[in-house]
Amino acid sequence: MKFCLKSLSGLLTILACMALFLAGCEKDSDGPMEVSVDHFSYRGEGFFKAAKLDSGRTIHLSKDTLFLNMGQMWTFSNCALESIDLQLHKEDSVLWISPVLKIHATSEDCPAPYYRPDTVLKLLLSNSQMDGVGLIKVKNDTDSLLDSILLRRGSFTKDTFDIYLDSSFADVHAYPLRTKEKKNGKTVPTVMRVLDSLTPRVFYWRTMKSICTYRVDNCVNTVADTIYPSRWNVNDTNLVPVHYACADSDSVYCINSKWENDSTELGSVQERPDTIWHYSTYYMENIPECGSYDSIAVSNYGIGNRVRFIRKLLTPDGDETFCGPSSQKNWMVYNLSGTVMVEDSDSLKVLDSLSATWKKATVAPDTLIQKEK
């Protein structure tokens, strides 16, 4: 009993000491801990790591507002970002935009402190700033190029074209082949497919004996029937089973599921020559001189279908001094196989070759239109 009383007395003594300790530490100024010293103030420059001009579009028209989307900004917090100063300077036909982040950080509490804020700036460039400029680029404080956009004077038109690809486009022996360039007397875009090259190759194979375990015919004479695979392995010798059928009738000799292959009895290695046909498909269109595409989209692409092309075309104003980008001044060639515009090359003369091929290419029938008539 004495032990229990002593234990209880000791526990009460400890609790009393803890209460006195907490009371001694309490202050009227208790609250959140300060993260910086009183009267802290810092002025300087931040930095950013991401920027996009007009949300990544290809062409910006001089008469439109230029949008600059800046992200991954390191500014202590959104409250510390005091201003964004834009430094503009020209180098030949390039206008460089260099944003500078001005920071003023203090010890004051910041509500909703976003530490990597994003922002969108609207820029109205003057005629003098755009004079002689064909390309706008934006860089950060480390001179890293973050984005670029073409500057053009003109207007956009968005059109939709449906071009029918006849089944003959699936026949490599028919190339070069193209669609009609006239519809109701009006020039329309065309699709052309050309053969680029041939790659010969050889498959190796051996016959493999097959035994019928359940015959359904008792024919007198049989004939061997080599069952070639639908796919060949170019890196290995393919085993090709040899089945037997009745030679003097169309009767079934063996149930298909009852053939057993015997890989211990193989014939000699034989060669099967083959060829890979490499071809490209192009969308080709006459455009206004020095025009260009701002965008192009393709849907429902396939042989025997009406392929839909949606393209946004730039038509330059009379005072535009910059050209393109285009395949030629008044011709646009878009490689559908590689989803890239074809540009001329002094070493390859690709466009000259394609132009000559287009003129002599066979015109495929427009089967759907003929049926509709």
Side-chain angles (χ1 to χ4, degrees):
M1 187 68 177
K2 287 183 179 180
F3 175 78
C4 294
L5 290 174
K6 286 182 179 180
S7 299
L8 180 59
S9 176
L11 180 60
L12 292 173
T13 302
I14 293 173
L15 292 175
C17 291
M18 290 181 62
L20 289 172
F21 176 78
L22 292 174
C25 292
E26 185 182 358
K27 292 182 179 179
D28 293 338
S29 59
D30 279 356
M33 295 178 62
E34 293 184 358
V35 295
S36 60
V37 298
D38 291 339
H39 310 299
F40 168 78
S41 179
Y42 169 78
R43 289 186 182 274
E45 295 181 358
F47 63 94
F48 63 100
K49 299 176 65 175
K52 273 192 176 298
L53 293 165
D54 279 357
S55 300
R57 288 174 55 186
T58 304
I59 299 174
H60 173 71
L61 295 182
S62 59
K63 58 188 176 183
D64 289 343
T65 301
L66 178 65
F67 290 93
L68 172 59
N69 190 343
M70 296 175 56
Q72 298 185 29
M73 297 193 298
W74 299 83
T75 61
F76 284 106
S77 70
N78 55 329
C79 302
L81 180 59
E82 194 172 42
S83 65
I84 300 177
D85 298 341
L86 297 179
Q87 298 177 355
L88 306 178
H89 70 279
K90 295 180 184 178
E91 290 182 8
D92 298 326
S93 61
V94 179
L95 175 64
W96 285 93
I97 302 178
S98 305
V100 177
L101 308 183
K102 297 293 185 179
I103 294 174
H104 182 203
T106 66
S107 59
E108 294 181 4
D109 187 28
C110 178
Y114 297 106
Y115 290 97
R116 295 175 62 185
D118 294 344
T119 188
V120 178
L121 304 179
K122 294 182 179 180
L123 311 182
L124 288 173
L125 302 176
S126 64
N127 291 331
S128 60
Q129 291 172 329
M130 293 185 293
D131 185 34
V133 174
L135 183 65
I136 301 175
K137 296 183 177 182
V138 58
K139 62 180 180 179
N140 59 12
D141 61 308
T142 60
D143 288 336
S144 298
L145 174 63
L146 300 179
D147 196 20
S148 63
I149 193 169
L150 298 171
L151 178 63
R152 294 292 184 264
R153 296 95 187 146
S155 59
F156 289 127
T157 54
K158 194 172 185 179
D159 293 309
T160 301
F161 303 99
D162 288 328
I163 301 177
Y164 176 68
L165 296 186
D166 184 76
S167 58
S168 55
F169 276 89
D171 182 9
V172 293
H173 299 87
Y175 306 154
L177 188 69
R178 66 174 175 86
T179 59
K180 295 180 179 180
E181 76 277 14
K182 295 283 186 181
K183 184 176 181 180
N184 299 326
K186 182 181 178 181
T187 301
V188 295
T190 59
V191 171
M192 181 175 72
R193 183 169 284 187
V194 298
L195 182 65
D196 297 325
S197 61
L198 301 175
T199 300
R201 60 180 176 176
V202 175
F203 293 112
Y204 297 95
W205 64 283
R206 305 175 72 174
T207 57
M208 176 174 56
K209 183 179 180 180
S210 293
I211 302 171
C212 177
T213 60
Y214 190 84
R215 291 180 57 169
V216 294
D217 270 320
N218 292 318
C219 48
V220 178
N221 297 317
T222 60
V223 60
D225 183 13
T226 306
I227 310 300
Y228 291 103
S230 58
R231 292 185 179 180
W232 294 81
N233 186 351
V234 72
N235 299 316
D236 196 5
T237 300
N238 296 268
L239 300 182
V240 178
V242 178
H243 294 179
Y244 284 83
C246 295
D248 53 357
S249 70
D250 294 331
S251 299
V252 177
Y253 174 78
C254 183
I255 296 178
N256 285 336
S257 61
K258 295 300 179 179
W259 286 101
E260 288 186 357
N261 296 325
D262 185 1
S263 60
T264 62
E265 292 196 29
L266 303 177
S268 60
V269 176
Q270 302 182 52
E271 295 184 359
R272 181 181 184 273
D274 188 49
T275 304
I276 302 176
W277 300 69
H278 304 280
Y279 59 86
S280 296
T281 310
Y282 300 94
Y283 171 89
M284 309 176 70
E285 179 184 7
N286 284 317
I287 61 173
E289 185 173 350
C290 285
S292 184
Y293 288 168
D294 182 60
S295 63
I296 183 169
V298 185
S299 62
N300 201 35
Y301 182 77
I303 305 301
N305 294 331
R306 282 196 179 279
V307 185
R308 174 155 293 183
F309 297 90
I310 305 174
R311 64 108 177 93
K312 197 172 183 180
L313 176 67
L314 166 70
T315 301
D317 288 341
D319 58 349
E320 177 60 271
T321 58
F322 293 94
C323 212
S326 56
S327 301
Q328 289 180 338
K329 282 191 174 182
N330 59 349
W331 192 254
M332 184 67 76
V333 179
Y334 187 80
N335 188 336
L336 295 174
S337 304
T339 62
V340 64
M341 183 183 67
V342 180
E343 297 185 29
D344 206 351
S345 169
D346 293 333
S347 60
L348 298 177
K349 293 294 183 184
V350 175
L351 287 172
D352 290 344
S353 175
L354 287 176
S355 178
T357 303
W358 186 89
K359 293 177 181 177
K360 67 180 182 181
T362 303
V363 179
D366 199 338
T367 308
L368 285 185
I369 291 180
Q370 292 174 355
K371 287 182 178 179
E372 290 172 359
K373 290 181 178 179

